[in-house]
Amino acid sequence: MNPVLEFEAISKVYRSFLRTEHWALHDFSLRVEPGEIVGFLGPNGAGKTTAIHIALGLAQPTSGAGTLLGQKFGTVSVRRKLGFLSENPAFYHQSASDVLKFCGALNAVREPELSHRTDELLASVGLTEDANRNIGKFSRGMLQRVGIAQALINDPDLLILDEPTSALDPISRLRVRELLLQSRRQGKSVFLSSHQLSEVELICDRVVFVRRGRVVKSGHTEELLRDPGGLEITAAGVKVAPPGAQESRVQDGHLVFTISAAQQRAAIEHIWSAGGTLISLISKTRTMEELFVELMTNSESASQKLQ
Amino acid sequence: MTPILLLAKSFLRQNRWLLLALVAWPFLMGAFLFFPQHAATREEVSEMAQMEVRYGVIVIAFLASSAIYNEKRSRRIIGVLSKAVSREQYLGGLLLGSAYFAMAYFAAIGAATLWLVKVSNHTGSAIIALFLCATLASLWAASVALLLSTVLHPFLAATLAAVLTFAPFSLHDPNTFVAPVAVLLKGSDPLASSIPLSATTAAITEIAVIVLLAAQVFTHRDVTVSIE
């Protein structure tokens, strides 16, 4: 199946007036497959927004190429099937309803579908009562919700969202999460750049970590969060942990210890041979935040060593 | 066509207070001329119209030159160009918005002029000619300003556009194709002028060429230059 978004060895160099160079992206490659939600994570200045802007044709790559919904970056007509929310979205000062109609009309959505979708989306982001208020009077969170609604106005095949939940309250965040999951159920793809790591952990099928314009790690969320540290075993009727066990302790009368995946079989045999019972065997996981900090710290020290 | 119309409408809405002030200006000037003397002379009205037309051309060039810059600074350009809108359509929208602005302002000058001088067939056709020539001249200046603003700071772009528009006025016999604006507006008496067809054709052709050139340059420019 063709990817809905693909970056192929893209580099982007910003040159200042004095010809000093800043590499925003360095040989950057990435694929987003149809029907998946991909989290795009990295610290400030990692090149996330630059990558998104190149995909949208707002900026030109210095080298490399890519495709958006099967067409090369910058193709205008393909953007009719794309929904985009920028970080800190800005709109012309008019009513929320008119903002959505304006954005929909730019993407060739026609009446009566345009009015119908406008009402439907304003309701789904909880802005029905404010539909006719000028957005100039809106709070940042309300503007963000207008931004999410306008990104969905053309019923896009691919959603590219840059920090969609940064200014939202918990209830609005929940609403947006539900909208994104609903989009996935409808077979749409979502490319999500965010610093809300718990959010990413909850909804993303795959995560890509980027730092200083390079991909430092990518993979399925579940696999990435699995702790290579191993498995946590709880056993009853055993007093001594098997050789190689770590963090051994007694909890509620049961022996709890951690072992590596390679030692799993030996540990179970040890429990059974001692006449004990295996209560549980859980693969240890870490949070997205722990993984993020680990990856960014490791790549920081690696790049310092290189220098 | 829809994106161009929508963007032109937005441009006009963005500049509505300036437009209202400018539309009121010829009437205020007219009242100033009219009331103390109870009747303005034809020469006075002609001079006023000429001055206001040139003033309008400069204002519209400045508006057009700052349009891209303002949209970038407000980040609204990201919202628009991430939709199915080409750079050509985007510039077309800004130019059409400038045209709406110019037509409203020059129509106000025409109405104020009609109010000040007695209406006759001759004056009516001269005012229509003045309206058309002024609108075309301002669009020529706006398109040059737009082209320059794709690569230069808007103030520099507008200044350069104003110089390119008005410098040929000092020439004794400006060339129609090199300086169509000078030919369109140089008549010493705007109330007696007719529409110079060759200059009109040259201006329309040059506006089309300049906008296409601006679109080519703009297509290769990043609209977001800030680094995260």
Side-chain angles (χ1 to χ4, degrees), chain A residues 140-165:
Chain A
R140 186 155 172 248
M142 289 167 87
L143 271 181
Q144 191 88 359
R145 282 188 274 159
V146 173
I148 290 159
Q150 65 79 33
L152 291 161
I153 190 74
N154 52 334
D155 193 19
D157 291 343
L158 169 66
L159 265 171
I160 297 181
L161 308 172
D162 199 354
E163 294 292 348
T165 55

PDB file of all heavy atoms in Angstrom, chain A residues 140-165:
ATOM      1  N   ARG A 140      -7.614  31.165  23.945  1.00  0.00           N
ATOM      2  CA  ARG A 140      -6.689  30.362  23.128  1.00  0.00           C
ATOM      3  C   ARG A 140      -7.215  28.940  22.937  1.00  0.00           C
ATOM      4  O   ARG A 140      -7.101  28.370  21.852  1.00  0.00           O
ATOM      5  CB  ARG A 140      -5.314  30.349  23.802  1.00  0.00           C
ATOM      6  CG  ARG A 140      -4.308  29.673  22.954  1.00  0.00           C
ATOM      7  CD  ARG A 140      -2.896  30.075  23.177  1.00  0.00           C
ATOM      8  NE  ARG A 140      -2.097  29.147  22.367  1.00  0.00           N
ATOM      9  CZ  ARG A 140      -1.294  28.232  22.856  1.00  0.00           C
ATOM     10  NH1 ARG A 140      -1.123  28.136  24.155  1.00  0.00           N
ATOM     11  NH2 ARG A 140      -0.638  27.418  22.073  1.00  0.00           N
ATOM     12  N   GLY A 141      -7.820  28.413  23.990  1.00  0.00           N
ATOM     13  CA  GLY A 141      -8.366  27.063  23.901  1.00  0.00           C
ATOM     14  C   GLY A 141      -9.508  26.983  22.896  1.00  0.00           C
ATOM     15  O   GLY A 141      -9.621  26.012  22.139  1.00  0.00           O
ATOM     16  N   MET A 142     -10.345  28.026  22.890  1.00  0.00           N
ATOM     17  CA  MET A 142     -11.471  28.043  21.936  1.00  0.00           C
ATOM     18  C   MET A 142     -10.951  28.161  20.501  1.00  0.00           C
ATOM     19  O   MET A 142     -11.457  27.504  19.579  1.00  0.00           O
ATOM     20  CB  MET A 142     -12.426  29.194  22.255  1.00  0.00           C
ATOM     21  CG  MET A 142     -13.221  28.986  23.536  1.00  0.00           C
ATOM     22  SD  MET A 142     -14.023  30.498  24.059  1.00  0.00           S
ATOM     23  CE  MET A 142     -15.544  30.405  23.145  1.00  0.00           C
ATOM     24  N   LEU A 143      -9.901  28.979  20.336  1.00  0.00           N
ATOM     25  CA  LEU A 143      -9.307  29.123  18.993  1.00  0.00           C
ATOM     26  C   LEU A 143      -8.741  27.790  18.515  1.00  0.00           C
ATOM     27  O   LEU A 143      -8.856  27.432  17.337  1.00  0.00           O
ATOM     28  CB  LEU A 143      -8.165  30.141  19.037  1.00  0.00           C
ATOM     29  CG  LEU A 143      -8.515  31.585  18.796  1.00  0.00           C
ATOM     30  CD1 LEU A 143      -7.264  32.442  18.864  1.00  0.00           C
ATOM     31  CD2 LEU A 143      -9.166  31.773  17.430  1.00  0.00           C
ATOM     32  N   GLN A 144      -8.147  27.086  19.481  1.00  0.00           N
ATOM     33  CA  GLN A 144      -7.563  25.777  19.152  1.00  0.00           C
ATOM     34  C   GLN A 144      -8.663  24.821  18.683  1.00  0.00           C
ATOM     35  O   GLN A 144      -8.476  24.047  17.748  1.00  0.00           O
ATOM     36  CB  GLN A 144      -6.873  25.229  20.403  1.00  0.00           C
ATOM     37  CG  GLN A 144      -6.017  24.028  20.172  1.00  0.00           C
ATOM     38  CD  GLN A 144      -4.592  24.402  19.790  1.00  0.00           C
ATOM     39  OE1 GLN A 144      -4.270  25.572  19.694  1.00  0.00           O
ATOM     40  NE2 GLN A 144      -3.760  23.423  19.556  1.00  0.00           N
ATOM     41  N   ARG A 145      -9.827  24.919  19.326  1.00  0.00           N
ATOM     42  CA  ARG A 145     -10.948  24.043  18.945  1.00  0.00           C
ATOM     43  C   ARG A 145     -11.478  24.424  17.561  1.00  0.00           C
ATOM     44  O   ARG A 145     -11.843  23.558  16.764  1.00  0.00           O
ATOM     45  CB  ARG A 145     -12.056  24.110  19.999  1.00  0.00           C
ATOM     46  CG  ARG A 145     -11.705  23.273  21.230  1.00  0.00           C
ATOM     47  CD  ARG A 145     -12.856  23.170  22.166  1.00  0.00           C
ATOM     48  NE  ARG A 145     -12.912  24.300  23.075  1.00  0.00           N
ATOM     49  CZ  ARG A 145     -14.010  24.685  23.734  1.00  0.00           C
ATOM     50  NH1 ARG A 145     -15.131  24.024  23.569  1.00  0.00           N
ATOM     51  NH2 ARG A 145     -13.973  25.708  24.555  1.00  0.00           N
ATOM     52  N   VAL A 146     -11.497  25.733  17.273  1.00  0.00           N
ATOM     53  CA  VAL A 146     -11.893  26.169  15.918  1.00  0.00           C
ATOM     54  C   VAL A 146     -10.893  25.597  14.916  1.00  0.00           C
ATOM     55  O   VAL A 146     -11.264  25.103  13.844  1.00  0.00           O
ATOM     56  CB  VAL A 146     -11.920  27.721  15.823  1.00  0.00           C
ATOM     57  CG1 VAL A 146     -12.150  28.173  14.390  1.00  0.00           C
ATOM     58  CG2 VAL A 146     -12.988  28.303  16.719  1.00  0.00           C
ATOM     59  N   GLY A 147      -9.613  25.621  15.312  1.00  0.00           N
ATOM     60  CA  GLY A 147      -8.559  25.097  14.444  1.00  0.00           C
ATOM     61  C   GLY A 147      -8.752  23.618  14.141  1.00  0.00           C
ATOM     62  O   GLY A 147      -8.571  23.181  13.001  1.00  0.00           O
ATOM     63  N   ILE A 148      -9.117  22.868  15.154  1.00  0.00           N
ATOM     64  CA  ILE A 148      -9.330  21.428  14.950  1.00  0.00           C
ATOM     65  C   ILE A 148     -10.540  21.202  14.030  1.00  0.00           C
ATOM     66  O   ILE A 148     -10.498  20.381  13.120  1.00  0.00           O
ATOM     67  CB  ILE A 148      -9.498  20.714  16.303  1.00  0.00           C
ATOM     68  CG1 ILE A 148      -8.143  20.708  17.024  1.00  0.00           C
ATOM     69  CG2 ILE A 148     -10.022  19.296  16.141  1.00  0.00           C
ATOM     70  CD1 ILE A 148      -8.217  20.520  18.493  1.00  0.00           C
ATOM     71  N   ALA A 149     -11.598  21.986  14.267  1.00  0.00           N
ATOM     72  CA  ALA A 149     -12.801  21.843  13.435  1.00  0.00           C
ATOM     73  C   ALA A 149     -12.501  22.192  11.977  1.00  0.00           C
ATOM     74  O   ALA A 149     -12.929  21.486  11.055  1.00  0.00           O
ATOM     75  CB  ALA A 149     -13.915  22.728  13.982  1.00  0.00           C
ATOM     76  N   GLN A 150     -11.730  23.274  11.743  1.00  0.00           N
ATOM     77  CA  GLN A 150     -11.436  23.650  10.353  1.00  0.00           C
ATOM     78  C   GLN A 150     -10.560  22.609   9.663  1.00  0.00           C
ATOM     79  O   GLN A 150     -10.629  22.415   8.461  1.00  0.00           O
ATOM     80  CB  GLN A 150     -10.857  25.071  10.242  1.00  0.00           C
ATOM     81  CG  GLN A 150      -9.498  25.315  10.874  1.00  0.00           C
ATOM     82  CD  GLN A 150      -8.319  24.830  10.054  1.00  0.00           C
ATOM     83  OE1 GLN A 150      -8.355  24.862   8.838  1.00  0.00           O
ATOM     84  NE2 GLN A 150      -7.273  24.359  10.727  1.00  0.00           N
ATOM     85  N   ALA A 151      -9.726  21.917  10.451  1.00  0.00           N
ATOM     86  CA  ALA A 151      -8.878  20.879   9.849  1.00  0.00           C
ATOM     87  C   ALA A 151      -9.714  19.698   9.361  1.00  0.00           C
ATOM     88  O   ALA A 151      -9.301  18.964   8.467  1.00  0.00           O
ATOM     89  CB  ALA A 151      -7.839  20.407  10.858  1.00  0.00           C
ATOM     90  N   LEU A 152     -10.907  19.545   9.957  1.00  0.00           N
ATOM     91  CA  LEU A 152     -11.756  18.407   9.596  1.00  0.00           C
ATOM     92  C   LEU A 152     -12.869  18.771   8.610  1.00  0.00           C
ATOM     93  O   LEU A 152     -13.637  17.903   8.192  1.00  0.00           O
ATOM     94  CB  LEU A 152     -12.389  17.822  10.866  1.00  0.00           C
ATOM     95  CG  LEU A 152     -11.417  17.117  11.833  1.00  0.00           C
ATOM     96  CD1 LEU A 152     -12.028  17.001  13.209  1.00  0.00           C
ATOM     97  CD2 LEU A 152     -11.057  15.751  11.294  1.00  0.00           C
ATOM     98  N   ILE A 153     -12.951  20.050   8.249  1.00  0.00           N
ATOM     99  CA  ILE A 153     -14.110  20.539   7.482  1.00  0.00           C
ATOM    100  C   ILE A 153     -14.241  19.845   6.120  1.00  0.00           C
ATOM    101  O   ILE A 153     -15.351  19.659   5.611  1.00  0.00           O
ATOM    102  CB  ILE A 153     -14.049  22.083   7.317  1.00  0.00           C
ATOM    103  CG1 ILE A 153     -15.345  22.644   6.748  1.00  0.00           C
ATOM    104  CG2 ILE A 153     -12.890  22.541   6.463  1.00  0.00           C
ATOM    105  CD1 ILE A 153     -16.484  22.685   7.693  1.00  0.00           C
ATOM    106  N   ASN A 154     -13.107  19.448   5.521  1.00  0.00           N
ATOM    107  CA  ASN A 154     -13.166  18.835   4.181  1.00  0.00           C
ATOM    108  C   ASN A 154     -13.141  17.311   4.246  1.00  0.00           C
ATOM    109  O   ASN A 154     -12.849  16.667   3.240  1.00  0.00           O
ATOM    110  CB  ASN A 154     -12.007  19.346   3.310  1.00  0.00           C
ATOM    111  CG  ASN A 154     -10.667  19.198   3.996  1.00  0.00           C
ATOM    112  OD1 ASN A 154     -10.598  19.178   5.219  1.00  0.00           O
ATOM    113  ND2 ASN A 154      -9.611  19.097   3.244  1.00  0.00           N
ATOM    114  N   ASP A 155     -13.424  16.745   5.436  1.00  0.00           N
ATOM    115  CA  ASP A 155     -13.425  15.291   5.626  1.00  0.00           C
ATOM    116  C   ASP A 155     -12.129  14.691   5.056  1.00  0.00           C
ATOM    117  O   ASP A 155     -12.154  13.882   4.127  1.00  0.00           O
ATOM    118  CB  ASP A 155     -14.659  14.687   4.919  1.00  0.00           C
ATOM    119  CG  ASP A 155     -14.889  13.250   5.348  1.00  0.00           C
ATOM    120  OD1 ASP A 155     -14.350  12.860   6.399  1.00  0.00           O
ATOM    121  OD2 ASP A 155     -15.578  12.523   4.618  1.00  0.00           O
ATOM    122  N   PRO A 156     -10.978  15.102   5.623  1.00  0.00           N
ATOM    123  CA  PRO A 156      -9.688  14.762   4.993  1.00  0.00           C
ATOM    124  C   PRO A 156      -9.306  13.291   5.122  1.00  0.00           C
ATOM    125  O   PRO A 156      -9.733  12.613   6.068  1.00  0.00           O
ATOM    126  CB  PRO A 156      -8.687  15.633   5.764  1.00  0.00           C
ATOM    127  CG  PRO A 156      -9.324  15.832   7.089  1.00  0.00           C
ATOM    128  CD  PRO A 156     -10.799  15.865   6.863  1.00  0.00           C
ATOM    129  N   ASP A 157      -8.460  12.824   4.198  1.00  0.00           N
ATOM    130  CA  ASP A 157      -7.911  11.462   4.276  1.00  0.00           C
ATOM    131  C   ASP A 157      -6.713  11.426   5.217  1.00  0.00           C
ATOM    132  O   ASP A 157      -6.396  10.403   5.792  1.00  0.00           O
ATOM    133  CB  ASP A 157      -7.458  10.992   2.883  1.00  0.00           C
ATOM    134  CG  ASP A 157      -8.638  10.775   1.959  1.00  0.00           C
ATOM    135  OD1 ASP A 157      -9.766  10.672   2.479  1.00  0.00           O
ATOM    136  OD2 ASP A 157      -8.445  10.745   0.737  1.00  0.00           O
ATOM    137  N   LEU A 158      -6.027  12.567   5.294  1.00  0.00           N
ATOM    138  CA  LEU A 158      -4.862  12.663   6.177  1.00  0.00           C
ATOM    139  C   LEU A 158      -4.969  13.944   7.011  1.00  0.00           C
ATOM    140  O   LEU A 158      -5.252  15.015   6.471  1.00  0.00           O
ATOM    141  CB  LEU A 158      -3.573  12.702   5.343  1.00  0.00           C
ATOM    142  CG  LEU A 158      -2.284  13.072   6.085  1.00  0.00           C
ATOM    143  CD1 LEU A 158      -1.906  12.005   7.118  1.00  0.00           C
ATOM    144  CD2 LEU A 158      -1.124  13.254   5.098  1.00  0.00           C
ATOM    145  N   LEU A 159      -4.744  13.792   8.306  1.00  0.00           N
ATOM    146  CA  LEU A 159      -4.757  14.952   9.199  1.00  0.00           C
ATOM    147  C   LEU A 159      -3.333  15.200   9.676  1.00  0.00           C
ATOM    148  O   LEU A 159      -2.696  14.270  10.199  1.00  0.00           O
ATOM    149  CB  LEU A 159      -5.612  14.645  10.423  1.00  0.00           C
ATOM    150  CG  LEU A 159      -7.065  15.066  10.436  1.00  0.00           C
ATOM    151  CD1 LEU A 159      -7.749  14.457  11.650  1.00  0.00           C
ATOM    152  CD2 LEU A 159      -7.200  16.569  10.482  1.00  0.00           C
ATOM    153  N   ILE A 160      -2.840  16.410   9.513  1.00  0.00           N
ATOM    154  CA  ILE A 160      -1.531  16.763  10.060  1.00  0.00           C
ATOM    155  C   ILE A 160      -1.772  17.793  11.157  1.00  0.00           C
ATOM    156  O   ILE A 160      -2.297  18.880  10.888  1.00  0.00           O
ATOM    157  CB  ILE A 160      -0.598  17.318   8.963  1.00  0.00           C
ATOM    158  CG1 ILE A 160      -0.340  16.245   7.903  1.00  0.00           C
ATOM    159  CG2 ILE A 160       0.715  17.791   9.570  1.00  0.00           C
ATOM    160  CD1 ILE A 160       0.597  16.663   6.780  1.00  0.00           C
ATOM    161  N   LEU A 161      -1.442  17.428  12.359  1.00  0.00           N
ATOM    162  CA  LEU A 161      -1.757  18.291  13.500  1.00  0.00           C
ATOM    163  C   LEU A 161      -0.484  18.654  14.259  1.00  0.00           C
ATOM    164  O   LEU A 161       0.272  17.774  14.673  1.00  0.00           O
ATOM    165  CB  LEU A 161      -2.735  17.582  14.443  1.00  0.00           C
ATOM    166  CG  LEU A 161      -4.012  17.024  13.811  1.00  0.00           C
ATOM    167  CD1 LEU A 161      -4.793  16.192  14.816  1.00  0.00           C
ATOM    168  CD2 LEU A 161      -4.881  18.147  13.271  1.00  0.00           C
ATOM    169  N   ASP A 162      -0.267  19.953  14.408  1.00  0.00           N
ATOM    170  CA  ASP A 162       0.906  20.433  15.130  1.00  0.00           C
ATOM    171  C   ASP A 162       0.428  20.942  16.493  1.00  0.00           C
ATOM    172  O   ASP A 162      -0.217  21.985  16.565  1.00  0.00           O
ATOM    173  CB  ASP A 162       1.565  21.557  14.310  1.00  0.00           C
ATOM    174  CG  ASP A 162       2.999  21.811  14.715  1.00  0.00           C
ATOM    175  OD1 ASP A 162       3.457  21.202  15.710  1.00  0.00           O
ATOM    176  OD2 ASP A 162       3.666  22.620  14.044  1.00  0.00           O
ATOM    177  N   GLU A 163       0.708  20.225  17.517  1.00  0.00           N
ATOM    178  CA  GLU A 163       0.293  20.563  18.882  1.00  0.00           C
ATOM    179  C   GLU A 163      -1.223  20.807  18.985  1.00  0.00           C
ATOM    180  O   GLU A 163      -1.649  21.897  19.356  1.00  0.00           O
ATOM    181  CB  GLU A 163       1.044  21.816  19.372  1.00  0.00           C
ATOM    182  CG  GLU A 163       2.519  21.634  19.551  1.00  0.00           C
ATOM    183  CD  GLU A 163       2.886  20.695  20.695  1.00  0.00           C
ATOM    184  OE1 GLU A 163       1.997  20.352  21.488  1.00  0.00           O
ATOM    185  OE2 GLU A 163       4.046  20.287  20.753  1.00  0.00           O
ATOM    186  N   PRO A 164      -2.038  19.815  18.693  1.00  0.00           N
ATOM    187  CA  PRO A 164      -3.492  20.062  18.682  1.00  0.00           C
ATOM    188  C   PRO A 164      -4.122  20.261  20.054  1.00  0.00           C
ATOM    189  O   PRO A 164      -5.174  20.875  20.153  1.00  0.00           O
ATOM    190  CB  PRO A 164      -4.051  18.794  18.023  1.00  0.00           C
ATOM    191  CG  PRO A 164      -3.044  17.750  18.294  1.00  0.00           C
ATOM    192  CD  PRO A 164      -1.726  18.428  18.321  1.00  0.00           C
ATOM    193  N   THR A 165      -3.481  19.753  21.100  1.00  0.00           N
ATOM    194  CA  THR A 165      -4.156  19.820  22.409  1.00  0.00           C
ATOM    195  C   THR A 165      -3.422  20.701  23.412  1.00  0.00           C
ATOM    196  O   THR A 165      -3.724  20.676  24.595  1.00  0.00           O
ATOM    197  CB  THR A 165      -4.300  18.400  23.002  1.00  0.00           C
ATOM    198  OG1 THR A 165      -3.005  17.801  23.060  1.00  0.00           O
ATOM    199  CG2 THR A 165      -5.219  17.527  22.172  1.00  0.00           C
TER     200      THR A 165
END
